[in-house]
Amino acid sequence: MGKITGFLEFQRLNEAYAAPTARLKNWREFVLRLDDEQSKQQAARCMDCGIPFCNNGCPVNNIIPDWNDLVYRQQWRKALDVLHSTNNFPEFTGRICPAPCEAACTLNINDDAVGIKSIEHAIIDKGWEEGWVTPQPPVRKTGKKVAVVGSGPAGLACAQQLARAGHAVTLFEKSDRIGGLLRYGIPDFKLEKSQIDRRISQMEAEGVEFCPSTYIGDPADAEDGLTTRTPASLKEEFDAVVMTGGAEMPRDLPVPGRELQGVYFAMDFLRQQNKAVAGDRLAGQTLAKGKHVIVIGGGDTGSDCVGTSNRHGAASVTQFELLPQPPESENKPMTWPYWPVKLRTSSSHDEGCDRDWAVTTKSLQGENGVVKKLVAARVEWVKDEATGQMKMQEVEGSEFEMKADLVLLAMGFVSPLQKVLDAFGVDRDSRGNVRANTDDYRTSVDKVFAAGDMRRGQSLVVWAIREGRQAARSVDAFLMGDSDLPR
């Protein structure tokens, strides 16, 4: 594998970032990808480990040792082909995936993992620059028609695979632009939307028809100005329908004062900002300017709210998490090759943020209907002797107050929108997701399939791509009796 002793000779080199003072002035991406020589050296660290656990750690099963070896040998075009063989959109995952593959890297047992994500980033960006990423229209048409509902990573991957198999694919999206949460949920400083736009152009050349501003469901539930289609009409027109929407129902905070102005779901805040960057003059770009911002929720969405608030010019940004602070580093012998629980500090946190753990919000207080204060308390987690589960209890006398002009709820998502599932009439699992297995992705309704967050619940972009690809194979087999598409 590349240079046999590379992992002994070279240290891990992380991608560089533009300085916070510079990157806070705009909404552009600020990660500086590795150059060819740096990528070669980092790829040389990939070990001839015998069993590449990174392949299984990656949800799309990227063939990581192979393209590391090709990058080491500077065979970039071949590396791109190998990368694309398992992942339709490596420019997305190379930017926003948390890289479970690196957690599973054999070198990570007692050293720094191979910088897999940074090498992936370098491969795909070089591919675009060299003009190697081109449309792959089908050799023949099947005469079959497929509707894909939802244009996030699952829907895009599913649509592209089915179009390449020769089916006529129409992709429906209720937002005014294609991309789902890639478009309106992830800030531009992490993923510039030109990355999505050029994939859309590629897919159009491959035969995919895009229908934005189109709501699929009961017309009575649609927002004003949207084109509406019922699930029944799709089933009548198309030979198969794939539900690939997101888990859009956010977890709420049922405390006194929740109704105050200035308390918003994180995704509403992020969507407004992304629309502003895209040129929507009705969307304000400085909602957090001069305000004391509190973000409730310690995950990636909360981190995105932190970065966005800092770019607005917030007076202060504080992020609360209900769970205890995780350890700074994991116990590798106990967790490897699985995803470890450890303290993760994002680039947004580095730009300025006070973080606090094991904090619960008790109430929100305001003046003239506008939030002004957050009342919180510290909690501890103890084992329930009866159930063996950990339970939360408030620490006596720990209540405290903080200024709060803007409160953003970033506590995750509960399920897909139930009214959409009602309209399709599909069975649901215990969490309110569409019931469908990973063998064939078929729902309880004939001709209707489901993949991505709508099926598995809130998850990663890389999992959505995997499910979109696998669902496409199942749909192709359903339509044609067999399929050559990869899973």
Side-chain angles (χ1 to χ4, degrees), residues 26 35 50 112 136 148 167 179 212 232-233 245 265 305 350 353 373 456:
N26 58 66
D35 62 27
D112 292 328
Q136 299 178 35
V148 179
H167 306 305
S233 72
F265 286 120
C305 290
D350 288 337
C353 175
K373 185 187 302 183
R456 66 179 286 118

Side-chain angles (χ1 to χ4, degrees), residues 36 43 162 192 194 233 240 248 287 359 367 380 471:
D36 288 8
L162 288 169
E192 289 186 21
S194 59
S233 72
E248 297 182 66
L287 183 61
V359 173
E367 298 175 4
E380 58 183 0

Side-chain angles (χ1 to χ4, degrees), residues 38-294:
Q38 291 171 330
S39 300
K40 175 181 178 179
Q41 186 181 96
Q42 291 307 295
R45 298 185 70 239
C46 187
M47 304 169 66
D48 186 9
C49 59
I51 301 176
F53 287 88
C54 57
N55 285 19
N56 286 335
C58 172
V60 293
N61 302 122
N62 276 332
I63 313 170
I64 294 163
D66 292 45
W67 45 257
N68 276 339
D69 181 59
L70 290 166
V71 169
Y72 172 72
R73 301 179 189 283
Q74 297 293 278
Q75 296 180 24
W76 289 92
R77 182 68 180 267
K78 290 183 178 180
L80 179 66
D81 291 341
V82 173
L83 179 54
H84 267 147
S85 71
T86 56
N87 186 353
N88 295 65
F89 312 118
E91 63 269 42
F92 302 162
T93 52
R95 285 166 166 77
I96 60 177
C97 184
C101 54
E102 295 187 12
C105 174
T106 301
L107 190 56
N108 192 45
I109 295 175
N110 63 350
D111 201 347
D112 292 328
V114 173
I116 299 168
K117 179 179 173 180
S118 62
I119 299 170
E120 177 182 34
H121 185 184
I123 294 171
I124 183 59
D125 278 20
K126 189 174 185 68
W128 280 110
E129 291 168 3
E130 296 293 334
W132 296 335
V133 184
T134 58
Q136 299 178 35
V139 176
R140 61 179 177 84
K141 293 287 188 177
T142 65
K144 302 292 186 180
K145 299 175 64 178
V146 183
V148 179
V149 182
S151 71
L156 290 172
C158 184
Q160 185 168 59
Q161 292 294 96
L162 288 169
R164 290 176 175 178
H167 306 305
V169 181
T170 304
L171 194 155
F172 297 95
E173 168 60 51
K174 67 179 179 180
S175 294
D176 60 340
R177 293 180 175 92
I178 298 298
L181 292 186
L182 291 170
R183 174 75 65 180
Y184 285 137
I186 297 172
D188 285 71
F189 59 79
K190 289 176 63 175
L191 178 69
E192 289 186 21
K193 306 319 172 194
S194 59
Q195 304 293 338
I196 306 170
D197 294 337
R198 58 187 179 186
R199 280 297 181 183
I200 293 172
S201 297
Q202 179 195 36
M203 292 173 65
E204 286 177 330
E206 294 170 349
V208 178
E209 179 183 355
F210 293 96
C211 294
S213 301
T214 304
Y215 178 78
I216 309 300
D218 185 338
D221 296 327
E223 297 178 6
D224 292 341
L226 296 182
T227 300
T228 60
R229 291 287 304 270
T230 64
S233 72
L234 294 189
K235 287 186 62 181
E236 183 177 350
E237 179 181 348
F238 295 90
D239 298 294
V241 179
V242 192
M243 304 171 66
T244 59
E248 297 182 66
M249 187 177 294
R251 182 171 286 108
D252 209 340
L253 184 68
V255 299
R258 168 62 181 89
E259 75 286 351
L260 291 169
Q261 184 179 339
V263 183
Y264 304 108
F265 286 120
M267 203 54 62
D268 293 338
F269 173 69
L270 295 174
R271 184 180 295 109
Q272 181 187 51
Q273 177 55 50
N274 286 349
K275 281 180 172 288
V277 174
D280 187 341
R281 295 184 179 181
L282 298 179
Q285 297 190 48
T286 55
L287 183 61
K289 184 176 182 179
K291 295 181 179 178
H292 297 284
V293 180
I294 296 181

